[in-house]
Amino acid sequence: AEAADALVHGADEIDLVLPYDAFLDGRPDVAAAMIDAVRAIVGSPRRLKVILETGSYPDLPAVDRAARLAIEHGADFIKTSTGKTSASASPDAARTMLLAIRDTRAVTGRTVGIKPSGGIRTAADAAIYLAIADEIMGPEWANPATFRFGASGLLDALEAVIAGDESVAAADDASY
């Protein structure tokens, strides 16, 4: 109902937090049913972004299973996190998700995007995620239709680097 209301009011993208507690409790059918229901409402050409909340998973195989479930049930983007939990995006989770995206493309030809989100605050942080995408998907893959950052503090940091703010550049170097 919330997705339908948002679409009526002009939204062209819907974010859905995967019911990860149910998924992790061994009830992937609950997560699949939620994605299916929202996907049916969203329709094309609108986008459905499924947020996995990867920092809450016990291991990377669980992240992989959740990413593949979301993709199989119609996610146009998979997103690491809401940024509202204690653990958000991680390079390892993004790598795992990108491998699922790559495998899907190889089998079905379908393009699915990724949105690393939460805890990405510097240009150096962003560069890490872009390098992983380039490594797995190829250097031409990351573009606005397939790769986005969900990091509210990142824009200010990038603008400062572009403007030549050396203090931000030094902070970026320290984050490696």
Side-chain angles (χ1 to χ4, degrees), residues 71-91:
I71 292 167
E72 178 183 330
H73 287 271
D76 298 305
F77 266 79
I78 50 178
K79 186 174 169 181
T80 56
S81 174
T82 59
K84 307 287 185 204
T85 57
S86 60
S88 296
S90 76

Side-chain angles (χ1 to χ4, degrees), residues 7 11-12 38-48 74 76 110:
L7 294 169
D12 58 2
V38 175
R39 174 80 265 174
I41 292 167
V42 171
S44 188
R46 297 178 180 127
R47 290 197 170 118
L48 173 61
D76 298 305
R110 186 167 159 249

Side-chain angles (χ1 to χ4, degrees), residues 63-117:
V63 171
D64 179 66
R65 290 190 307 274
R68 291 175 190 276
L69 177 88
I71 292 167
E72 178 183 330
H73 287 271
D76 298 305
F77 266 79
I78 50 178
K79 186 174 169 181
T80 56
S81 174
T82 59
K84 307 287 185 204
T85 57
S86 60
S88 296
S90 76
D92 288 339
R95 176 179 298 282
T96 299
M97 294 164 66
L98 282 160
L99 290 169
I101 289 169
R102 182 194 67 193
D103 292 351
T104 296
R105 184 177 69 175
V107 172
T108 68
R110 186 167 159 249
T111 299
V112 176
I114 189 169
K115 187 172 182 179
S117 180

Side-chain angles (χ1 to χ4, degrees), residues 109-159:
R110 186 167 159 249
T111 299
V112 176
I114 189 169
K115 187 172 182 179
S117 180
I120 304 166
R121 293 183 178 85
T122 67
D125 292 340
I128 291 167
Y129 290 92
L130 284 168
I132 294 168
D134 287 351
E135 172 193 332
I136 293 170
M137 303 301 292
E140 302 301 317
W141 182 81
N143 64 62
T146 59
F147 189 98
R148 301 177 186 173
F149 285 108
S152 56
L154 182 58
L155 178 60
D156 291 339
L158 293 175
E159 288 176 340

